[in-house]
Amino acid sequence: MRGFFMGFFVVLAVAVFGSQAGSARAGGFDCDEPDGVLCAETADSIGYDGAYTGHDEPSLLFYSNTGGSGNSSFYRMRLPTDPKVLPNQSGTAGTWNFQLHPAFWLGMALCDNQSAPEYTHAACTPNSDTNIFDGTDPGGADYIGKHPGSAFLELQFYPPGWAPWPPGVSCDPSKWCAAMAIFSLNQDQNTGVVNNTDCLNTVGIEPVNFAFITKSGAPHGPAGPLDLTEGSFTPSAATDLFMSSGDQLTIDIHDGAAGLTAIVHDLTTGQTGSMTASEANGFAQILFEPGSSTCHEAPYSFRPMYSTSSEHTRVTWAAHSYNVAFSDEIGHFEYCDAITREGGRCTGNSQETVDGDDAGCFSAAFSTFVPITGCIGTDSDFDGVPYQKVWPGTDPNRGQDAKYHSSPVTFTSPLFNGTQNYSRVAFETDLPRIEAPDSGGICDRFTGTNCVNPPPGSNFYPIYTTGTSTQNPNTNGHCVWQFGGPFIKGTTNTFGGNSAAEFGPLLFSFYPSPNPAIRLRTNNFRNVLSSNPCPA
């Protein structure tokens, strides 16, 4: 299947991601299209052609006012396992990780003085809270529109077993892999002006730097937005860190000598992989030149933006309000019986009526292992697999739960400066953003009317819980976070036991905009706890 995939890549990339071969749009991150499933979620519609890409990202945020908390984080994680029962086309058997999430990831805010809000191209001072600008008065020195340009890191982990990456979600029939993806925004938020047409046609409105975590620390393909090729997005067992389900990991994200560095150590196998977002590794920023006829990039070493991590350290163009965070990307799998082509649309579905969000579909024959047909476009009506009681911990009968459902991803709260715990946490989900009219919903983000949690059409919405680690010798007896339902074995706190209680009230945030009437709006539900209930 891998040989077939490689030969088929160029045709499929054009069919799914656009016609710009050799760019991010051809390689798997056409962020302003509905099936750009792994891009950072933006505060507003970003498609210069009017498209909107929505991503459901229930997240766990980590806060501390101590220096270092915004630019270094060390996690211990156990990759989830899949049940022994394989999924079937009718949805009555097992549910695997690729059906729950195309990725989960660890995040951090970064400097990019060519990215939104685009008030000035002055250099961004890394690792500094002097970058905090969240005032609401356009005449004030701290006005949010004067914020230094920002990017966002997503250290993404991809589950095995289904359609090959890209444009599917799996690097391998049985192994996990990970990648460093850094997203920026080609727009001046203060004026609404976007970058030049050549940039929009090649790297899109949301350009990405991308590199798999490799055993050597060097990308196996070009990483910069204008340089990305088929090879950049093609995982390789020879060069990349491949991991097995259930492996115990440590993950270290920090500002290194050459730039932002992520190190993943697999304690189970003894292997280590890393990536540094440096000029030497080919990372680059797209230059914001609206008047140019040609898109340009410049070598760039990305570095953390802030010294601390709090309600005031955010990326101004992102839907979410966070800096240091864990997020699970859900809402990207629906069953389908017949498709137009690989990467095309669903034309027949015995389980439900075919609707407009049944896009990015792949056949059972295209899968690397599990032979089912499904779609990974944004599930805007919340009726797909991730919104059913098929997560770990959704069946109080733990025997049945383990037989048909995956184990949860478990991870410790991160440490910063090597040994320090974050003092507070918050739960946040961007449901208002994806329940809005431009995604097919009726949520009024300016008043909060009809913005609901759980989302309309869903039968379940997953939550974060805590438990006690018994499977990792490095964390035995320690508190760990887990994601799924309230009945995971060993759970110690469910934070209300449902999504409405856990994620809390609507959060209204202020954004840069040329229109004063739309500067304040809600994109999230957020619940800030006064302490960290699960220190590492």
Side-chain angles (χ1 to χ4, degrees):
M1 178 55 64
R2 178 63 65 179
F4 169 75
F5 166 66
M6 288 296 293
F8 191 59
F9 176 87
V10 175
V11 174
L12 183 59
V14 171
V16 179
F17 298 110
S19 60
Q20 307 299 321
S23 73
R25 296 172 70 83
F29 282 97
D30 190 358
C31 295
D32 54 348
E33 292 297 329
D35 44 9
V37 300
L38 292 173
C39 300
E41 175 70 306
T42 56
D44 296 297
S45 296
I46 58 172
Y48 72 98
D49 54 2
Y52 167 68
T53 305
H55 307 298
D56 193 353
E57 297 172 341
S59 303
L60 180 61
L61 291 57
F62 297 97
Y63 290 154
S64 172
N65 294 327
T66 301
S69 61
N71 54 43
S72 67
S73 51
F74 178 86
Y75 301 80
R76 295 185 184 272
M77 177 185 291
R78 181 177 184 265
L79 293 175
T81 59
D82 291 310
K84 294 182 179 180
V85 177
L86 268 66
N88 62 19
Q89 200 62 51
S90 62
T92 57
T95 302
W96 279 37
N97 277 283
F98 67 79
Q99 298 172 281
L100 300 176
H101 33 215
F104 52 76
W105 48 262
L106 305 172
M108 183 178 287
L110 309 178
C111 284
D112 181 357
N113 66 324
Q114 299 289 321
S115 177
E118 291 295 350
Y119 177 74
T120 176
H121 296 320
C124 169
T125 303
N127 306 301
S128 173
D129 284 354
T130 60
N131 293 318
I132 295 176
F133 288 72
D134 56 2
T136 60
D137 178 6
D142 66 342
Y143 178 56
I144 192 169
K146 299 175 182 177
H147 196 288
S150 54
F152 192 70
L153 164 73
E154 294 185 8
L155 184 64
Q156 300 178 341
F157 290 78
Y158 310 118
W162 193 54
W165 213 114
V169 301
S170 297
C171 290
D172 186 79
S174 62
K175 301 288 188 180
W176 292 72
C177 68
M180 176 183 282
I182 297 175
F183 299 94
S184 303
L185 191 67
N186 265 328
Q187 185 176 36
D188 183 334
Q189 288 180 287
N190 293 288
T191 64
V193 172
V194 296
N195 212 346
N196 62 72
T197 300
D198 188 46
C199 281
L200 299 178
N201 284 335
T202 52
V203 301
I205 193 76
E206 192 179 342
V208 59
N209 282 261
F210 181 88
F212 283 105
I213 300 300
T214 64
K215 289 175 280 190
S216 68
H220 70 234
L226 277 174
D227 309 313
L228 293 168
T229 66
E230 173 185 334
S232 304
F233 293 102
T234 304
S236 168
T239 59
D240 303 342
L241 179 66
F242 276 26
M243 301 157 281
S244 296
S245 296
D247 280 4
Q248 309 284 352
L249 314 176
T250 63
I251 304 163
D252 184 2
I253 304 171
H254 64 274
D255 190 13
L260 178 79
T261 299
I263 302 172
V264 181
H265 182 49
D266 190 328
L267 302 176
T268 304
T269 66
Q271 290 191 314
T272 297
S274 66
M275 186 52 56
T276 298
S278 64
E279 295 184 27
N281 275 339
F283 284 72
Q285 60 181 178
I286 294 296
L287 301 183
F288 189 73
E289 302 170 324
S292 175
S293 60
T294 305
C295 191
H296 300 105
E297 69 178 18
Y300 190 72
S301 295
F302 288 89
R303 296 186 181 278
M305 172 162 279
Y306 300 107
S307 173
T308 64
S309 181
S310 72
E311 296 92 333
H312 302 284
T313 60
R314 53 180 278 218
V315 173
T316 64
W317 54 264
H320 273 288
S321 71
Y322 44 47
N323 176 12
V324 175
F326 173 96
S327 182
D328 205 326
E329 181 111 5
I330 71 172
H332 286 291
F333 192 91
E334 297 190 67
Y335 288 103
C336 177
D337 297 326
I339 64 176
T340 56
R341 67 183 190 287
E342 301 297 350
R345 302 195 67 85
C346 183
T347 59
N349 194 335
S350 58
Q351 296 193 50
E352 60 182 64
T353 302
V354 175
D355 52 40
D357 63 9
D358 296 335
C361 307
F362 302 96
S363 70
F366 192 62
S367 174
T368 62
F369 182 65
V370 179
I372 60 172
T373 301
C375 307
I376 58 173
T378 297
D379 185 3
S380 58
D381 54 4
F382 308 101
D383 60 353
V385 172
Y387 301 107
Q388 313 304 320
K389 292 184 177 181
V390 293
W391 287 83
T394 50
D395 191 335
N397 181 332
R398 292 199 175 104
Q400 292 295 96
D401 195 51
K403 181 178 180 180
Y404 292 105
H405 303 160
S406 68
S407 69
V409 56
T410 61
F411 58 98
T412 60
S413 291
L415 296 172
F416 64 93
N417 293 337
T419 60
Q420 292 181 269
N421 270 289
Y422 289 79
S423 58
R424 298 179 294 135
V425 302
F427 304 107
E428 184 173 283
T429 179
D430 60 334
L431 285 173
R433 174 69 286 255
I434 56 177
E435 294 174 6
D438 56 3
S439 188
I442 59 172
C443 164
D444 185 333
R445 292 190 295 145
F446 302 104
T447 66
T449 304
N450 297 317
C451 304
V452 297
N453 178 16
S458 66
N459 291 318
F460 176 73
Y461 196 80
I463 60 173
Y464 291 92
T465 60
T466 57
T468 302
S469 174
T470 59
Q471 297 173 316
N472 185 344
N474 294 280
T475 58
N476 275 352
H478 287 265
C479 185
V480 292
W481 294 99
Q482 49 202 19
F483 191 66
F487 305 116
I488 297 170
K489 184 178 180 180
T491 293
T492 55
N493 194 335
T494 64
F495 303 97
N498 60 71
S499 63
E502 175 167 290
F503 290 104
L506 287 170
L507 169 68
F508 285 83
S509 299
F510 199 83
Y511 297 88
S513 173
N515 183 353
I518 64 171
R519 287 176 183 158
L520 183 69
R521 52 198 178 278
T522 180
N523 281 319
N524 300 284
F525 291 92
R526 188 178 69 183
N527 178 19
V528 181
L529 305 187
S530 60
S531 64
N532 181 353
C534 189

